[in-house]
């Protein structure tokens, strides 16, 4: 960089900040290079590795920081891109032969820095710095390291393309914070902002086995008082890839990785209590369940990782928050949280979630190999899973193989093979998929998959196919796709909620931008329409089964406020074969087969609102009202659904999250309630120290399903019994209060001590809290140690 440009950069930085005698200056003459991204300097030339020794204490006072490369010139990304960031940020970087170091100075002249002493991966409500390392220069996948101003860590991966990260609720391009890496960070709040120090060992990363390295790098800063997100390189929202707009760390040499081996034995003891002895429990019995297991992880060079587990324990995994099922025809998707499965999960990413590791319930043993050779990724998972409760099939052998190959700039082709085989049951699946990015704004994707299954000696075959065309422009974008799944297609190791249909859909997005800092900052309208046919009906040009059209409107206001309004119209016809278990009650006459209602139209309206991340709290709420359909009896209903969430941070150590969700159907025939669910949930965490916290989660789930009724006259419907006869439909009620307590000591990932108690209570009347009766409970303790060694 020329001397005049360097001087201009220094003057620009100084002019953007308030005068302060305590403000540090990393732009001293001893800094060899300044990389100002808005001036196009995004390829950081790294010198030879340094032999300096530093203490990771959050203070950049060692001499080596004065000679580190300086990255600055951040740009605004959210809510409006392509503008200079209103906050000044400096990133210092250098490396040794064993680790890479980052020092961050985030200047904050506009508001108060927000930081709490949080548990790992819980810093999204704080100011934070997010670091992406694209070590293989793939330009669509990166390691993610996030720190808040106190140095509290969050980490994971970001992947673009494919579908859901297997087993998670993470869409392409979002951070998957499930993996945990070994790295060090410390930080502190100052009078001018905050300062952070980071060390990432090369043994925690995967990178090419080459003498000279060139890694993609990006830094993203979240500023909570304004709701802004700022990036080091100028990232355009109107592009097919966020990661591809990264900068570079070039010329790193002498990196040593070795064979990084970690051994993680686990000891768990669980005592489970259940009521016994009659309809009204007169006693209580406990069963002791000790369990010994463990995990092993070996980094085979710099680009392959081998994981193994024997009798893994998942007791430390937080319980899933119960979801409200708006449409009971489909299963609910829950995220994968179990440590063995989440590491490297992005490499099992397959469109349409053909790999979903939560199908592996409780393996006796499992093995996983993930890595990269050249431009190819190889991933293998094998597990011996216990049979489902009540099943006589015996243990199942589960195998998943995923291979992908990069081509062009950001494009990828892949194949997947999976099988689940047990006594009396078999499912095998194979598929190919191609995702091609072109013109910087567009991508096209094609997927084909087929399955072969056998259950109770009966074989079946099925197929899945999909084609997608997408444009991600700044002001205009679209997503067009068509998918078809044959009725007998099965993915026993995946999550396919529905089969036997063909569905084309068209979605368009228009975005208008205001001026940052003014009342209106962004407006986005997203229109979507789709039609669904039964698989055979589509190719026979018969009438469609369902159609949907919606228009989502979202407004972002100054300071991070957001308001959304989504009207929609849907039409439903009903497949008679899906109602073979029901019959009409004809009084003294014999029951007649159930005939579903004619096509129904549903009108929906949803309103959402969310606050900024205030210093002490944030909140969101949603309301849906609809003239809808009860799919179990094909009747017209009036549906009302509420949801609300409140995050409280009264101190830097205490975090409280309260949520409420409800859904109710009122029959339009008689105004009576046919279905209701209400789920309040409270989670409180107190961080005693950085590695030590106490957590309590209490959730009440009140479900009521009234007897099914004839949509024509309100008479009870008849339900087929196990012996083939019919009996009148009956109502069902469930009112359960579940409370879990946990104390956790986790000095680093893998080394933990947990002690907890969980209990479930029931009562006859929903949310009455007057006749609660304990129905089950359990105590557990767990000790786990991580032994790590790097072999040359």
């Amino acid at each position: 960089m020329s001397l005049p440009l360097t001087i201009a950069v220094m003057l620009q930085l100084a002019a953007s900040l308030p005068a302060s005698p305590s403000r540090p200056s990393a732009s001293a003459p001893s800094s060899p290079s300044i990389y100002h991204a808005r001036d196009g300097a995004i390829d950081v030339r790294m010198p030879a590795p340094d032999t300096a020794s530093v203490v990771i204490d959050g203070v950049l006072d060692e001499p080596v920081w004065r000679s580190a490369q300086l990255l600055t010139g951040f740009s605004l990304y959210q809510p409006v891109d392509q503008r200079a960031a209103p906050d000044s940020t400096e990133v210092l970087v250098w490396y040794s032969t064993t680790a890479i170091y980052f020092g961050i100075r985030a200047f904050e002249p506009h508001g108060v820095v927000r930081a709490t002493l949080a548990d790992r991966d819980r810093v999204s409500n704080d100011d934070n710095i997010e670091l992406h390392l694209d070590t293989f220069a793939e330009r669509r996948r990166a390691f993610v390291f996030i720190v808040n101003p106190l140095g509290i860590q969050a980490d994971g991966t970001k992947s673009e393309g494919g579908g859901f990260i297997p087993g998670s609720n993470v869409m392409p391009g979002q951070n998957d914070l499930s993996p945990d890496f070994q790295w060090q960070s410390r930080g502190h709040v100052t009078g001018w902002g905050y300062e952070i120090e980071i060390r990432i060992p090369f043994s925690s990363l995967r990178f090419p086995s080459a003498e000279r390295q060139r890694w993609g790098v990006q830094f993203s800063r979240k500023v909570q008082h304004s709701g802004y997100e700022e990036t080091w390189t100028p990232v355009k929202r109107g592009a097919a890839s966020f990661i591809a707009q990264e900068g570079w760390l070039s010329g790193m040499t002498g990196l040593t990785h070795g064979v990084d081996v970690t051994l993680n034995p686990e000891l768990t003891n669980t005592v489970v209590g259940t009521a016994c002895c009659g309809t009204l429990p007169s006693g209580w019995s406990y069963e002791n369940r000790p369990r010994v297991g463990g995990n092993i992880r070996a980094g085979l060079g710099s680009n392959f990782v081998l994981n193994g587990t024997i009798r893994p324990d998942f007791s430390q995994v937080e319980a899933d928050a119960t979801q409200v099922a708006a449409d009971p025809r489909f299963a609910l998707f829950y995220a994968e949280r179990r440590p063995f499965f989440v590491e490297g999960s992005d490499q099992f990413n397959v469109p349409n979630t053909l790999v979903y590791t939560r199908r592996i319930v409780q393996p006796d043993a499992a093995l996983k190999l993930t890595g990269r050779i050249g431009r190819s990724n190889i991933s293998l998972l094998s597990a011996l899973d216990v049979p489902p409760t009540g099943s006589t099939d015996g243990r199942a052998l589960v195998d998943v193989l995923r291979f992908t190959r990069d081509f062009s700039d950001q494009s990828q082709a892949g194949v997947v093979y999976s099988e689940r085989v047990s006594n009396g049951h078999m499912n095998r699946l194979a598929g190919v998929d191609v995702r091609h990015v072109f013109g910087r704004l567009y991508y096209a994707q094609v997927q084909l998959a087929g399955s072969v299954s056998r259950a109770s000696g009966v074989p079946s075959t099925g197929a899945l196919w999909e084609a997608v065309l997408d444009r991600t422009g700044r002001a205009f974008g679209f997503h067009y796709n068509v998918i078809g799944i044959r009725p007998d297609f099965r993915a026993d190791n995946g999550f396919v909620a529905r089969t036997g249909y063909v569905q084309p859909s068209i979605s368009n997005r228009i975005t208008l931008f205001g001026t940052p800092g003014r009342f209106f900052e962004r407006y986005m309208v997203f229109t979507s329409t789709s039609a669904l046919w039964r698989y055979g009906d589509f190719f026979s040009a018969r009438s469609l089964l369902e159609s949907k059209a919606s228009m989502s409107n979202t407004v972002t206001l100054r300071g991070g406020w957001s308001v959304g309004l989504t009207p929609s119209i849907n039409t439903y016809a009903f497949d008679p074969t899906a109602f073979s278990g029901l019959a009409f009650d004809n009084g003294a006459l014999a029951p007649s087969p159930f005939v579903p209602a004619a096509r129904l139209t549903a009108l929906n309206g949803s309103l959402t609102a969310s606050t900024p991340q205030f210093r002490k709290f944030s909140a969101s709420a949603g309301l849906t009202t609809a003239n809808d359909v009860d799919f179990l009896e094909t009747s017209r209903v009036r549906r009302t659904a509420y949801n609300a969430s409140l995050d409280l941070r009264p101190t830097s150590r205490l975090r409280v999250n309260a949520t409420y969700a409800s859904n109710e159907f009122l029959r339009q025939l008689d105004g009576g309630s046919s279905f209701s669910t209400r789920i309040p949930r409270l989670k409180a965490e107190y961080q005693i120290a950085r590695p030590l916290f106490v957590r309590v989660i209490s959730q009440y789930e009140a479900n009521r399903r009234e007897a099914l009724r004839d949509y024509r006259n309100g008479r009870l419907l008849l339900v087929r019994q196990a012996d083939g006869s019919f009996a009148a439909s009956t109502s069902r009620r469930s009112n359960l209060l579940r409370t879990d307590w946990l104390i956790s000591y986790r000095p680093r990932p893998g080394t933990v001590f947990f002690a907890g108690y969980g209990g479930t209570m029931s009562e006859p009347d929903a949310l009455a809290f007057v006749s609660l009766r304990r129905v089950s409970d359990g105590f557990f303790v767990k000790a786990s140690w991580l032994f790590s060694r790097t072999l040359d």
Side-chain angles (χ1 to χ4, degrees), residues 30 46 62 65 70 137 189 297 381 383 501 528-529 662 678:
S30 58
M46 300 295 289
E62 290 90 354
W65 291 114
L70 172 61
V189 177
R297 179 187 185 275
L381 172 64
Y501 70 91
S528 179
T529 182
S662 73
R678 290 173 286 174

Side-chain angles (χ1 to χ4, degrees), residues 312-326:
D313 172 69
F314 304 128
S315 59
Q316 77 273 27
V317 177
E318 182 177 315
D320 294 312
T322 301
Q323 303 176 44
V324 174

